[in-house]
Structures are given as structure tokens and as C-alpha cells.
Amino acid sequence: MRTSIVAAAEDSIRNKAAVLIEALPYFQRYAGRSFVVKYGGHAMGDPDAARDFAEDIVLLKAVGINPVVVHGGGPQIGAMLEKLGVETSFVDGLRVTDKATAEVAEMVLSGAINKQLVSWIARAGGKAIGISGKDGNMVTARKLERTTRDPESNIEKALDLGFVGEPEHVDTTILETASASGMIPIIAPIATDAEGNTYNINADTMAGAVAAALGAARLFLLTDVKGVLDKQGELLTDLKPADIAALREDGTIAGGMIPKLETCVHAVEAGCEAAVVLDGRVPHAMLLEFFTSRGAGTLISA
């Protein structure tokens, strides 16, 4: 019995050593580079998933990679609006953000969620700093312009979503300074325009803009699906922008996956080495995707 226990322990050690050896080339290749991670969805509300995520981020920092986290918080904003009795409306599935809604969004994103993530990183042994696009004038926003087509007249008209914005410019100084000091930046997707108006920005969009500005080695979009699936439900592991255009044209990708992939394409065409859409519900999915030959999601590269 003792011999079998010792043998099992030795097998376990050898397996762990094999994993480390497999990961070594990736450690060496990407030491000193940035990984931008958009965190949200199911993983955000699951304590076990949150712990795994924090450990993954701290591990990345420990092996010489500079992780930058951008987080969402739509459900938490909705819950707080309801609790405070602030009425909200939607147009074409998009929340109209008036001044009261924008103030609540900033309170939830830059306050509760941001600092909770900072504390998770601290419990995992890392040092994180919580910021928003406002800090250090990191992100300058502009009002998001969207259009919709009237179903009766077929006339296209502008949508006014209020204080919903998109990044116009990203100054990476504060991110590079924090990373060089051993800190892990945790970014709330809030920013101001040139006139000082505060805007709520989609977290995927913010993460893509940050990844492009940093020339990041990877942009990770953690979602609640395995990645991009074909019409048979099989995972598509590698895509180019032209592939994505074709998949959209034939209806393979639709709904909420379209803006995620648009973010990935914009990021890789603007300086990010590659973007990955993967399932944040899978324990350590980010590490499986990057540090093993098997992968775990859909990789988009130019």
C-alpha cells in the first residue's frame, strides 16, 4: 500500500513538472508584455470562480507578465437602480443612461465592484490598484453614436442613449507606471469627455481600446459561452477578421457575440497581438488557453 501511495505521489509531481515545462516557452516569450482581461458575466457572481480568477491574475504577474483587468457590472447596476427607485429605459436592448443612471453606474462600477476585485487580488497574494478611465486622465471618452431603422418607414434614425460613451483616446502612462511598480491595475469602465461629462462605457469596448493602446500580447474576453461556435455547435479555435466577416454574413455568429468579435477585430488591427473569447465559467480557463498547447477558446489574430 505504501509503495502505491508513493508511486501515485511521484506521478502527480511528474505531471505538475510536465505542465510547468509545457508552459515555460510561453513564460519566456511574454515576460514583460501586457495581458488585458475583461472580467464579467457568470464568473463575477460566483465566489469560487472569483477566487480562481484572482489566483490566475496573480500568477500572471508572478511569472513576469503584466495583467490589466477591465471589469463590467451591468447586473449590479440594474440591481442598484431598482433598489434606489431610479427608473431606467432601454432602446433596442441598450440601456438609456440619463444623469441619475450615470451617477449610479459610476458608484457601482468605480466603487463596490472595483474595490471588491482589488480585495480578491489581495487575498490571492497580489497588489492591485483600482482606477477608472478618469484617473490620470487615462481614457478620454466621446458620446456613443448609434442608429436604428424604423420598421414601418425603413428610415434610419439616430439613437440617443444619454451618457453612454466609447473611448476616443487612451493614455497608458498610469497603467505602465502601476505595472512597473508591481501593481495590477483594475479598471472600471467610466471616463469623461473633453468637457468633463461622465460616460459609462461598455467593458468589452474599454478593454479592447486599452489592449490596443498598450500593444498587448493578449486581450481576453471572459464570457458565458465556450467561444465562437460553428453551426454544428463545435468550437472554432482560430479566426481571422475575414473569417469573422464571413461567419457574420452567413448567420453563424449573431446577437451579443457580434459586438464582442468587433471589439476583438478592432483591437488586433490597432496593435494588440491577438484576442481570445473564452468561457469564464471554466476554472483557470485563461491559463489553459494561454499556457498549454490545447487552448480553451477562440483566438482572433490579424
Side-chain angles (χ1 to χ4, degrees), residues 227-252:
V228 182
L229 307 179
D230 63 18
K231 289 186 176 181
Q232 288 71 46
E234 297 298 321
L235 180 68
L236 297 170
T237 57
D238 296 275
L239 294 175
K240 302 289 185 182
D243 300 325
I244 292 170
L247 292 169
R248 182 174 180 177
E249 184 68 25
D250 70 13
T252 300

Side-chain angles (χ1 to χ4, degrees), residues 134-190:
K134 287 184 172 183
D135 293 293
N137 200 27
M138 180 177 67
V139 178
T140 303
R142 62 178 169 232
K143 186 180 177 68
L144 179 65
E145 296 181 356
R146 286 286 183 89
T147 60
T148 186
R149 192 171 296 277
D150 186 283
E152 296 181 3
S153 65
N154 203 35
I155 296 174
E156 195 168 18
K157 60 180 183 179
L159 283 179
D160 187 357
L161 297 172
F163 294 95
V164 177
E166 61 183 351
E168 183 172 42
H169 175 71
V170 178
D171 182 343
T172 61
T173 302
I174 191 171
L175 299 176
E176 291 166 349
T177 301
S179 292
S181 300
M183 307 293 287
I184 299 168
I186 310 294
I187 305 173
I190 299 289

Side-chain angles (χ1 to χ4, degrees), residues 11-274:
D11 286 343
S12 176
I13 292 170
R14 278 192 290 269
N15 290 337
K16 291 176 181 178
V19 170
L20 290 172
I21 293 300
E22 183 179 0
L24 179 59
Y26 303 98
F27 294 159
Q28 294 171 323
R29 179 179 178 183
Y30 293 103
R33 299 289 303 279
S34 296
F35 283 8
V36 177
V37 185
K38 184 269 178 167
Y39 180 63
H42 168 87
M44 196 170 235
D46 184 319
D48 290 335
R51 184 189 63 245
D52 289 345
F53 173 78
E55 290 173 348
D56 291 353
I57 294 298
V58 172
L59 176 60
L60 290 176
K61 189 68 176 177
V63 298
I65 292 167
N66 293 317
V68 175
V69 177
V70 179
H71 64 82
Q76 292 90 334
I77 293 172
M80 182 59 73
L81 288 169
E82 184 176 353
K83 183 177 180 179
L84 296 175
V86 178
E87 293 186 5
T88 186
S89 59
F90 291 83
V91 177
D92 286 358
L94 299 170
R95 188 194 304 275
V96 177
T97 304
D98 59 15
K99 196 165 186 64
T101 303
E103 290 174 352
V104 172
E106 182 170 15
M107 177 179 67
V108 172
L109 291 169
S110 295
I113 296 176
N114 191 271
K115 302 316 172 191
Q116 185 180 53
L117 275 169
V118 169
S119 69
W120 286 342
I121 297 293
R123 286 199 296 271
K127 293 183 178 181
I129 180 170
I131 56 178
S132 76
K134 287 184 172 183
D135 293 293
N137 200 27
M138 180 177 67
V139 178
T140 303
R142 62 178 169 232
K143 186 180 177 68
L144 179 65
E145 296 181 356
R146 286 286 183 89
T147 60
T148 186
R149 192 171 296 277
D150 186 283
E152 296 181 3
S153 65
N154 203 35
I155 296 174
E156 195 168 18
K157 60 180 183 179
L159 283 179
D160 187 357
L161 297 172
F163 294 95
V164 177
E166 61 183 351
E168 183 172 42
H169 175 71
V170 178
D171 182 343
T172 61
T173 302
I174 191 171
L175 299 176
E176 291 166 349
T177 301
S179 292
S181 300
M183 307 293 287
I184 299 168
I186 310 294
I187 305 173
I190 299 289
T192 55
D193 65 11
E195 285 73 45
N197 298 304
T198 296
Y199 288 92
N200 184 16
I201 298 174
N202 175 274
D204 287 346
T205 305
M206 180 77 108
V210 170
L214 284 170
R218 286 291 185 276
L219 165 64
F220 293 97
L221 297 185
L222 302 184
T223 69
D224 289 343
V225 295
K226 289 194 299 183
V228 182
L229 307 179
D230 63 18
K231 289 186 176 181
Q232 288 71 46
E234 297 298 321
L235 180 68
L236 297 170
T237 57
D238 296 275
L239 294 175
K240 302 289 185 182
D243 300 325
I244 292 170
L247 292 169
R248 182 174 180 177
E249 184 68 25
D250 70 13
T252 300
I253 59 172
M257 186 57 73
I258 291 176
K260 287 186 182 298
L261 291 176
E262 287 177 344
T263 291
C264 293
V265 170
H266 291 159
V268 299
E269 290 181 342
C272 178
E273 189 173 298

